Amino acid sequence: MIAARGLSIRTGAGHAAVRSADLAIRPGERLGVVGESGSGKTLLALAMIGMVPEGLQVSGEIAVGGTVVAPGDEAAWQRLRAREVAMIFQEPMSALNPLARVGDTIAEPLMVHRGLTRSAARAQARELLEETGIPQPERRLDQYPHELSGGQRQRVLIALALACDPALLIADEPTTALDAAVALRITDLLVRLARERRMALLFISHDLAAVARTTEAMLVMYGGDIVERGATDRVLADPAHPYTKGLIAARPSLAQRGRRRLPTIPGTVPPLEALAEGCRFAGRCPVELPRCVHLRPAATATASGSAACHLLGAAP
Amino acid sequence: MRVPFNLALGAALVALVLAVALVSLVWTPHPHAALDVANKFAPPSAVHWLGTDQLGRDLVSQLMVAARNSMAVAVLAVGIGCALGTGLGLLAAARGGWTEEAIMRLSDLGFAFPALLFAIMLAAVFGPSLPNVVIAIAFINIPTFARVSRAAANQVWRRDYVWAARAAGMGRFAISRDHILPNIAAPVIVQMTIEFAVAILVEAALSYLGLGAQPPNPSWGRMLSEAQTLMYLAPQLAIWPGLCIVTAVLGFSLLGDGLRDITDPRLTRVRAA
Amino acid sequence: MTLLQVDSVSRRYRLPRRALMRPAPVLTAVDGVSFTLARGETLGVVGESGSGKSTLARLVMGFERPDAGRVLFDGQDNNDLPPAALRAARRRFQMVFQDPFGSLDPRRRVGWSVAEPLRALKGTEDPAPRVAEALEQVGLRAAHAGRYPHEFSGGQRQRIAIARAIITRPALLVADEAVSALDVSVQAQILNLLMDLQEELGLAILFISHDLAVVASTCDRLLVMQGGRVLEAGETGAVLDAPGHDYTRTLLAAARL
């Protein structure tokens, strides 16, 4: 079980980029985080692996397994990274060393963290590549990243992340840079791996369709707040928070054909310093109440999970 | 943003040298070429701050005028080299194809040509003089700037705003002027700063060899060579011009490094997501 | 009435030589593609990286010459025009690019960038009122002309790019992944803006995207491309309800919520 409690991330100027977020993932669970740019979803993911960029202040606590880690305890995080928590990124090319053979890249953590010999590590690397479904795994070991396609590179990164058998895999927009057909296969792979290994998956994406087919539960973030959470299919079918509703409605869907105006959320995501102190969505919300601007709504139970919105609170 | 240390120190040293060179235009403690043989090898005093040389000339005045010569040579030579080289680089990037090939192969040829050898050749044909030094240094700067500007320009040509300008119907010349040049200014200016340092060094070397400034026009390089035979008698005559060269070269090198640090996007920190 | 006719165009690229004695390999980026686009109509081109859709956009824009086939705009083949005449003809077909952060020169004020197509025409009229009009048509304010691109959000920058594209009152707009880099909530605004402008100005739009859902909700007809070829083409509804190809079905699966 991996959990964050009261996790907040502030910029140097003191603006909150993530506001007291709580989340918990059980072994084998697939949790999606949906949000637009500036929602704080990537920072939340980075905090879960102790890699928030310098200059930002993280507070709150993160529990990995039974142990509680302070967000800034770099020594503790170094012990946990790769072995307990691993991460894959959006751009598979820049995440791989272009001068290292794929096999060596994957074998290195096996030798460092698990003390395998060179030949044992290579054999293990081959098995990991095979598990990711990459064609001709044996041949890939001696290839360089530029010789692989985008989807193959993402599979190599997944194999690398799996090397030390982590309890949680964080995937930050892993399919955004990939073509649709390849993206479908990568999300299928992530689902299969989570099931087979009883590995928790934290899947960060702006793409509702990718989250829908990859995850069982989801969080919706806006302006650094988790505004809604619940079972993925039920949240998508019956969103409760005005932002979630707007986001789903604004998404072009296959059902609308030929030059239909889409419902929109007015305005644009404001910069951090311009966000309201209360509900972050205040100012763009179509059903705003006077208290929304200065009073932060608490999470309230909904049919599909919970949402933080004053409209859902004690009805007048 | 905090100013990096190398940038601050470099800018300070360059400002010092430039200020001295500019002041020498209107004022020096003594006329720099005034002989006073009776007063040769004078130690530092209130009249002659750093003393006098083997002919009784005031050392400070000579160093100041030499700074002016050095700066003038560097600015002119690098300026000319930069203008011609950047022009060629822009042309190469704009035209592509065989024009680009030709310009780049010619610049390879230029790189293969040692600056000193070229300056010696010029001096042999036209006689040694500062203008010939300027021509020689300008010439060796052309391929450097052609290469830097072409590489930077080729990157800018791939930007969407350049495609947009083409879609708008702008010609290659107008695009080079409106979009390419302003957007390659940063690397070109960084290169200029570094080339200033090189130019100062080359000018000193050429003058040391007697191919640059001719007497009585002072130059740090020639002052060094004249002081060489007097090293044991009057080491200060070699030390001061040497220090001047070090200050100027170090100043421009640090300034160039510092400017590169703050303008190179690969080195600037990524904004937090 | 047909505005744009693309007549079995092909475009091949010579790749870098792999071996000295063997001929350089050739990539056929666009392979015998044909379609027509009428005034005021929207045609979607769906495909992935390497499908040839961006090369097709460049061929239509006259940035590249086809190796075979013709691109006729108002019955005129742009590749027959001398360069100066082609540059003047460009005011009738304009383009919007994918990356709103890359398509505006960071060193130029917004008004300068929006006026660029007018300057290219070397007209003598003052561009300021036209710039103001174009900015207001895309939902911005005339006063924004004096600002720099970095002062705007991604969606606003895409509006600026659209203002630049419509300032010459073109007949055709080529939108190459014009909403792909935008957040969902902003994407919808820009799509609506494009549809509004289309009705207001009678624009034909060649809408290029990798996202079938985006194309489905904006285009009258669509073209599915893969490997430089057209896999299938037809009315949007017909293609979506009865996809004739596995690849189209994969794209449908990827876009389904």
Side-chain angles (χ1 to χ4, degrees):
Chain A
M1 171 101 157
I2 291 167
R5 244 194 321 279
L7 185 73
S8 292
I9 303 176
R10 289 181 176 279
T11 63
H15 303 296
V18 174
R19 287 203 302 185
S20 55
D22 296 322
L23 67 98
I25 319 175
R26 282 177 300 280
E29 190 185 10
R30 306 186 304 277
L31 177 64
V33 181
V34 168
E36 299 181 283
S37 55
S39 64
K41 62 187 191 301
T42 293
L43 282 178
L44 180 68
L46 289 172
M48 299 299 287
I49 190 170
M51 277 172 36
V52 171
E54 262 177 71
L56 297 175
Q57 295 138 25
V58 194
S59 57
E61 61 181 39
I62 296 169
V64 179
T67 51
V68 175
V69 201
D73 187 350
E74 179 58 24
W77 278 113
Q78 266 179 19
R79 284 193 299 275
L80 293 172
R81 272 182 220 138
R83 279 175 271 196
E84 294 293 331
V85 190
M87 187 160 181
I88 58 174
F89 300 89
Q90 172 173 352
E91 191 28 81
M93 189 62 199
S94 54
L96 283 168
N97 178 356
L99 299 178
R101 288 194 171 86
V102 164
D104 295 339
T105 301
I106 303 174
E108 193 194 333
L110 293 169
M111 294 191 291
V112 173
H113 291 300
R114 293 186 24 199
L116 297 187
T117 63
R118 181 166 290 277
S119 60
R122 188 179 159 91
Q124 181 73 35
R126 206 205 86 97
E127 263 177 51
L128 286 165
L129 280 177
E130 193 166 10
E131 193 179 347
T132 66
I134 202 166
Q136 299 176 279
E138 184 76 43
R139 218 184 107 214
R140 307 293 165 207
L141 289 174
D142 293 315
Q143 285 186 317
Y144 290 93
H146 73 264
E147 298 176 82
L148 307 177
S149 69
Q152 288 170 343
R153 280 179 209 138
Q154 198 56 284
R155 284 176 202 267
V156 168
L157 278 183
I158 292 171
L160 180 62
L162 296 178
C164 295
D165 200 13
L168 169 66
L169 177 64
I170 301 172
D172 186 14
E173 302 268 7
T175 57
T176 306
L178 303 175
D179 289 334
V182 182
L184 276 179
R185 291 197 289 272
I186 294 290
T187 50
D188 285 352
L189 169 66
L190 290 173
V191 171
R192 196 191 85 212
L193 290 171
R195 277 209 192 102
E196 288 174 0
R197 292 174 160 253
R198 299 235 341 117
M199 176 180 74
L201 175 69
L202 187 61
F203 185 86
I204 320 290
S205 184
H206 72 283
D207 180 355
L208 287 170
V211 169
R213 62 178 190 260
T214 314
T215 65
E216 310 153 288
M218 68 187 277
L219 310 173
V220 181
M221 290 189 76
Y222 183 85
D225 282 4
I226 296 174
V227 296
E228 182 157 8
R229 65 174 88 208
T232 303
D233 47 356
R234 301 191 51 192
V235 170
L236 291 177
D238 184 20
H241 195 281
Y243 174 66
T244 318
K245 286 181 183 168
L247 190 67
I248 292 171
R251 186 182 171 276
S253 89
L254 296 167
Q256 300 155 325
R257 309 253 164 101
R259 295 210 212 169
R260 288 285 167 71
R261 298 297 187 280
L262 294 156
T264 61
I265 302 174
T268 175
V269 183
L272 282 185
E273 60 271 20
L275 285 167
E277 265 311 300
C279 175
R280 297 303 219 182
F281 196 44
R284 295 182 77 189
C285 183
V287 282
E288 199 171 313
L289 303 170
R291 63 188 142 159
C292 291
V293 178
H294 49 267
L295 187 64
R296 187 177 174 192
T300 311
T302 62
S304 51
S306 73
C309 177
H310 286 306
L311 290 170
L312 305 167
Chain B
M1 189 175 65
R2 280 187 59 233
V3 179
F5 176 70
N6 54 359
L7 183 66
L9 181 61
L13 293 178
V14 166
L16 177 72
V17 176
L18 276 176
V20 167
L22 287 175
V23 166
S24 81
L25 288 171
V26 293
W27 176 83
T28 53
H30 300 269
H32 69 88
L35 305 183
D36 183 5
V37 183
N39 206 7
K40 65 182 180 184
F41 299 126
S45 66
V47 185
H48 298 290
W49 298 342
L50 294 177
T52 61
D53 69 0
Q54 69 278 16
L55 297 173
R57 289 172 295 193
D58 180 53
L59 203 56
V60 172
S61 304
Q62 290 201 64
L63 289 173
M64 284 175 72
V65 176
R68 177 215 301 168
N69 284 338
S70 196
M71 288 298 115
V73 167
V75 168
L76 268 175
V78 175
I80 294 169
C82 172
L84 294 176
T86 306
L88 285 172
L90 284 175
L91 180 69
R95 294 292 298 272
W98 66 265
T99 315
E100 184 171 20
E101 275 298 305
I103 291 173
M104 285 303 111
R105 294 296 82 79
L106 277 177
S107 89
D108 287 346
L109 213 65
F111 272 119
F113 221 85
L116 280 176
L117 199 68
F118 185 71
I120 291 167
M121 228 171 66
L122 272 182
V125 179
F126 300 106
S129 71
L130 274 187
N132 284 345
V133 171
V134 170
I135 293 172
I137 297 175
F139 180 80
I140 56 164
N141 267 299
I142 292 172
T144 311
F145 282 99
R147 185 153 289 212
V148 167
S149 59
R150 169 194 162 256
N154 273 336
Q155 292 201 355
V156 180
W157 271 102
R158 285 197 284 272
R159 298 280 166 78
D160 278 352
Y161 56 79
V162 171
W163 284 98
R166 292 181 64 187
M170 299 301 271
R172 285 172 183 274
F173 177 79
I175 291 175
S176 290
R177 180 197 62 208
D178 290 349
H179 294 290
I180 312 292
L181 190 58
N183 281 292
I184 66 167
V188 168
I189 288 169
V190 168
Q191 194 63 37
M192 273 180 90
T193 317
I194 293 165
E195 294 302 325
F196 279 139
V198 176
I200 290 164
L201 218 48
V202 171
E203 186 274 332
L206 290 171
S207 293
Y208 177 88
L209 294 171
L211 300 171
Q214 296 304 303
N217 204 4
S219 144
W220 292 333
R222 215 189 63 251
M223 289 169 79
L224 263 183
S225 81
E226 285 174 3
Q228 200 175 13
T229 51
L230 306 164
M231 269 299 279
Y232 295 101
L233 190 63
Q236 75 276 11
L237 294 188
I239 290 170
W240 289 113
L243 271 180
C244 287
I245 295 172
V246 169
T247 306
V249 172
L250 187 68
F252 278 110
S253 298
L254 288 176
L255 184 63
D257 277 358
L259 285 177
R260 191 201 302 273
D261 288 351
I262 61 168
T263 57
D264 193 329
R266 279 168 300 185
L267 298 173
T268 46
R269 246 197 296 170
V270 187
R271 269 186 313 150
Chain C
M1 195 181 123
T2 300
L3 177 71
L4 175 71
Q5 185 180 353
V6 172
D7 204 0
S8 52
V9 290
S10 295
R11 179 77 175 103
R12 289 180 283 274
Y13 295 106
R14 204 181 289 269
L15 297 177
R17 222 173 252 276
R18 290 271 171 89
L20 187 62
M21 300 312 285
R22 260 176 265 152
V26 168
L27 172 81
T28 306
V30 170
D31 193 357
V33 171
S34 300
F35 63 85
T36 59
L37 181 57
R39 278 174 208 288
E41 192 191 22
T42 309
L43 175 67
V45 179
V46 199
E48 312 201 311
S49 53
S51 65
K53 62 188 196 301
S54 289
T55 305
L56 189 63
R58 288 202 291 271
L59 288 168
V60 168
M61 287 302 296
F63 290 148
E64 295 186 17
R65 282 171 173 277
D67 294 303
R70 294 189 308 166
V71 177
L72 300 176
F73 190 83
D74 267 340
Q76 164 75 48
D77 190 339
N78 284 329
N79 291 303
D80 292 343
L81 293 173
L86 174 60
R87 283 208 294 276
R90 285 195 179 283
R91 67 180 187 83
R92 303 260 296 138
F93 49 99
Q94 287 286 323
M95 186 160 177
V96 180
F97 298 84
Q98 171 173 3
D99 178 11
F101 291 85
S103 67
L104 297 169
D105 190 332
R107 290 174 195 279
R108 300 291 184 179
R109 289 177 199 274
V110 162
W112 190 96
S113 290
V114 171
E116 192 164 43
L118 292 181
R119 277 198 307 279
L121 292 171
K122 298 191 170 69
T124 48
E125 70 173 313
D126 175 20
R130 293 278 294 274
V131 169
E133 184 195 351
L135 286 174
E136 275 159 10
Q137 278 176 314
V138 299
L140 294 171
R141 291 198 307 275
H144 287 138
R147 299 208 196 155
Y148 285 95
H150 69 260
E151 299 174 57
F152 295 90
S153 70
Q156 287 173 315
R157 287 185 211 206
Q158 206 59 313
R159 288 176 191 270
I160 295 165
I162 292 170
R164 171 176 57 193
I166 61 166
I167 197 167
T168 56
R169 298 171 186 137
L172 169 68
L173 196 65
V174 177
D176 186 5
E177 299 278 13
V179 298
S180 308
L182 303 176
D183 280 322
V184 174
S185 68
V186 179
Q187 188 178 60
Q189 296 170 9
I190 298 296
L191 289 172
N192 289 351
L193 170 66
L194 283 173
M195 289 185 266
D196 290 341
L197 288 172
Q198 176 166 45
E199 275 163 27
E200 212 176 300
L201 308 172
L203 275 174
I205 301 183
L206 185 63
F207 195 97
I208 295 168
S209 177
H210 69 283
D211 187 340
L212 191 56
V214 166
V215 169
S217 58
T218 41
C219 299
D220 307 310
R221 288 186 299 130
L222 64 85
L223 219 64
V224 182
M225 283 188 75
Q226 190 185 34
R229 292 212 176 97
V230 175
L231 286 187
E232 58 184 308
E235 298 290 320
T236 304
V239 173
L240 295 184
D241 291 334
H245 208 279
D246 271 349
Y247 182 70
T248 314
R249 282 187 277 275
T250 306
L251 290 179
L252 274 166
R256 191 166 287 135
L257 199 58

